[in-house]
Amino acid sequence: MSVTELDFRPDAPPAPLVLRNAALFLDLDGTLAPIAARPQDVAPDPRRTDILEKLMGRLEGRLAVVSGRTLADIDRILEGCVPAVAAVHGLVFRGADGAVTQAAPHPALPQAVAALRRFAADHPGMLVEDKLLSATLHYRGDPEHGEAARAEAERVAALTGLAVQPGDMVMELRTPGPTKGDSVETFLTRAPFSGATPIFLGDDLTDEDGFAAVRRLGGFGVLVGPARLTAARLRLDDVDAALAWLEAAR
């Protein structure tokens, strides 16, 4: 979904979450966990795990995590408490039954990783994360060179044919394929999600496809973080507010 399609600036918080016939789709970083300087610094949290475990039971499994992280990283941070996961922005899909499918990696990914690492070597605050299906340039540690990071990612994408996935202080080059929105749609064709009203919580541009998908399918998106143009219709201030909203579900 392009930025030009974002059409709403929500400021109203959602009403208390009613779980009956709801299906929850949750981003991870910036939504369930505060964003850390380095992705590996995000750790399991007992309160978050307890909230998700209780929701899993009360929703009869109608909960999925839809994240840009790898499947292994999601399971590490959430202590394996959520079976249904779309990882690497939808390129890896694990259904509620535990079956995993994933896209074939783009052949130019090693070239892209090498190029981004050369660029990051000249910018000591930047990190490159190789997710096998995508390559991510993190510039949170060097924000003054964010425009240079964006330009380099776009240059490498043009050379390799990889898709550009902008995010919060990151530029990701990913294998073309399913998006977060596609993953939501796939979940909703399968048990136990089929027939439920979808709700998507996310914080940044990588979540817009998810917001748009649930809107098309009769549900709604909730933006976590400052107000901005988005396809979501409601907003929560931050991760703590998101966890409190989920914790108070009835």
Side-chain angles (χ1 to χ4, degrees):
M1 185 174 188
S2 71
V3 175
T4 57
E5 295 176 88
L6 310 185
D7 62 354
F8 195 69
R9 187 183 296 272
D11 206 37
L17 175 59
V18 177
L19 297 178
R20 186 172 62 84
N21 203 43
L24 286 180
F25 299 96
L26 308 175
D27 176 46
L28 180 47
D29 294 282
T31 301
L32 294 176
I35 294 175
R38 303 182 306 165
Q40 61 266 40
D41 292 338
V42 178
D45 175 75
R47 179 194 176 199
R48 180 175 59 233
T49 299
D50 181 64
I51 290 170
L52 294 177
E53 287 178 337
K54 287 177 178 175
L55 285 171
M56 281 291 301
R58 295 176 64 196
L59 286 164
E60 299 179 328
R62 298 188 308 275
L63 184 153
V65 170
V66 184
S67 168
R69 283 189 180 259
T70 65
L71 186 58
D73 230 9
I74 294 167
D75 284 344
R76 173 185 67 82
I77 294 166
L78 302 184
E79 301 181 277
C81 71
V82 180
V85 171
V88 198
H89 307 290
L91 294 176
V92 178
F93 185 95
R94 184 173 70 197
D97 60 359
V100 177
T101 58
Q102 69 176 55
H106 192 286
L109 270 169
Q111 176 187 347
V113 170
L116 294 181
R117 283 179 173 160
R118 286 193 298 270
F119 178 80
D122 293 329
H123 300 83
M126 296 190 188
L127 298 170
V128 176
E129 184 182 8
D130 183 357
K131 301 181 186 176
L132 302 181
L133 291 170
S134 70
T136 306
L137 178 63
H138 298 261
Y139 58 89
R140 188 171 302 278
D142 189 6
E144 62 269 31
H145 291 111
E147 285 305 312
R150 178 180 294 273
E152 176 64 7
E154 290 175 347
R155 183 190 73 82
V156 176
L159 287 174
T160 59
L162 291 162
V164 179
Q165 179 82 66
D168 187 358
M169 297 286 189
V170 302
M171 290 297 293
E172 188 159 353
L173 301 179
R174 66 192 295 269
T175 297
T179 66
K180 288 186 175 185
D182 295 327
S183 299
V184 168
E185 292 188 11
T186 299
F187 278 123
L188 288 167
T189 66
R190 302 182 180 189
F193 298 92
S194 57
T197 300
I199 301 167
F200 192 106
L201 271 68
D203 69 301
D204 73 6
L205 289 176
T206 68
D207 298 306
E208 290 299 334
D209 287 318
F211 293 148
V214 296
R215 186 164 133 188
R216 285 194 305 272
L217 296 166
F220 61 90
V222 180
L223 176 67
V224 179
R228 61 167 175 80
L229 286 176
T230 176
R233 282 293 175 265
L234 298 162
R235 188 180 71 83
L236 291 161
D237 284 338
D238 50 29
V239 170
D240 284 341
L243 291 175
W245 187 67
L246 294 171
E247 199 168 32
R250 61 192 191 200

